[in-house]
Amino acid sequence: MPKLGHSISIAFILSMLLLGCSSTPKTEQDKYKEIADSFAHKSLKTLSKNTINPSLSLYNKVKSDDDPEINPAYVHALASISFALVGNSRWALAEENLAIDSADEPESKYVSYSVLSMALHNKGLMQLGDDYSLKAKLLEDDNLIDHKYNKNKVILSTILGLNAVKNGDGKSAELLFQSVAERRGVEWLPIVAHGTAMIVENPSVFVIKDITKLMTRDDVSLEARNKLAQLRAIANENLNLLGFYSPPLAA
């Protein structure tokens, strides 16, 4: 009998070792699915859905014919931004999932994809966030967004872009400010927004190297590179004022 128990113990240990060897690192999609399937995430979504959606449904029924109908996707996206601003990434992601669920036309999908990209970046799911940024850009590039929406989209992109900068999300900031830059004719704005977000995310001597690296990108024009150099100099001066030592800037 002792031998049987000993054999079982060895078999158990070996099976655990084999399981450990066969396990693979979780992908970002796996991590996202874990969050989406968690009890906390589902509870947050249920609470918000049962609070916001009935009120919107009632408003859309009793509103006058002259007033526009409100799509729940916009409200949940706005709520997601609000939660992101106060650093509550869990609530932000739950609200954004509701926005995606409610998005039923190109405009609301554009907003939802853009905001979800930021929510995913804030959770550290960088590649997945990039994927949703690309989805938003494809809607724009394919001209699926109504022309009447373009002006509002620029305003919205500015708001979302500023939020991305405030959260230190350089990739989202650069993408969101592209439409603003095209409309205003300021081509350096997206990359400078990216650099500004870098400063917000990491206000230390390391940000000087990050901005310098950004300046070496092949798609950065000479004018944009000069603007980044100015931004780098401002960051360097502020770091010196705060007592951080940073070496002299290279040309």
Side-chain angles (χ1 to χ4, degrees):
M1 191 69 181
K3 289 184 179 180
L4 178 61
H6 183 63
S7 299
I8 293 173
S9 298
I10 293 175
F12 177 76
I13 293 170
L14 287 174
S15 66
M16 290 298 99
L17 289 172
L18 287 171
L19 283 173
C21 293
S22 62
S23 63
T24 56
K26 292 179 182 177
T27 65
E28 289 191 356
Q29 190 65 52
D30 292 334
K31 293 177 182 177
Y32 180 47
K33 188 176 185 305
E34 278 189 2
I35 295 171
D37 290 343
S38 69
F39 176 75
H41 185 81
K42 289 179 178 179
S43 297
L44 293 175
K45 283 183 65 177
T46 300
L47 177 61
S48 177
K49 189 174 182 179
N50 290 340
T51 303
I52 292 176
N53 287 20
S55 301
L56 281 178
S57 180
L58 177 61
Y59 168 82
N60 287 331
K61 285 179 181 178
V62 301
K63 71 177 183 60
S64 67
D65 294 336
D66 295 332
D67 294 327
E69 185 169 306
I70 298 178
N71 189 321
Y74 296 114
V75 180
H76 289 299
L78 183 60
S80 178
I81 294 172
S82 300
F83 283 119
L85 283 172
V86 296
N88 195 328
S89 60
R90 178 174 289 181
W91 263 107
L93 192 55
E95 287 292 350
E96 192 40 49
N97 281 168
L98 288 171
I100 291 287
D101 294 342
S102 305
D104 54 6
E105 32 82 29
E107 287 82 3
S108 59
K109 287 180 180 179
Y110 172 83
V111 173
S112 299
Y113 290 158
S114 297
V115 178
L116 180 56
S117 170
M118 286 189 289
L120 291 169
H121 283 161
N122 286 339
K123 290 294 287 185
L125 304 177
M126 307 308 290
Q127 184 56 56
L128 204 54
D130 290 348
D131 292 343
Y132 277 95
S133 289
L134 180 60
K135 284 187 177 185
K137 185 163 176 36
L138 287 175
L139 281 175
E140 185 177 7
D141 291 346
D142 291 343
N143 295 317
L144 294 176
I145 297 177
D146 194 303
H147 178 71
K148 295 178 181 178
Y149 181 74
N150 282 339
K151 185 175 181 181
N152 290 335
K153 182 173 71 65
V154 170
I155 297 172
L156 178 66
S157 294
T158 303
I159 295 171
L160 294 176
L162 290 171
N163 177 63
V165 169
K166 186 179 184 300
N167 281 289
D169 185 355
K171 287 185 176 182
S172 292
E174 182 176 347
L175 179 70
L176 288 161
F177 272 109
Q178 282 179 0
S179 59
V180 182
E182 290 168 5
R183 189 174 181 87
R184 303 298 182 191
V186 189
E187 61 90 19
W188 50 263
L189 182 59
I191 197 71
V192 171
H194 192 153
T196 305
M198 283 179 164
I199 297 173
V200 173
E201 181 184 28
N202 184 22
S204 70
V205 292
F206 297 106
V207 78
I208 304 299
K209 292 182 179 179
D210 292 337
I211 295 176
T212 302
K213 185 178 179 181
L214 199 61
M215 292 168 63
T216 64
R217 265 178 34 181
D218 293 337
D219 60 332
V220 176
S221 69
L222 178 60
E223 183 183 12
R225 194 170 289 117
N226 289 336
K227 293 292 183 182
L228 283 172
Q230 293 174 26
L231 181 68
R232 184 183 62 173
I234 293 171
N236 189 65
E237 183 179 349
N238 287 336
L239 286 171
N240 287 332
L241 288 174
L242 291 172
F244 291 99
Y245 169 76
S246 68
L249 296 177

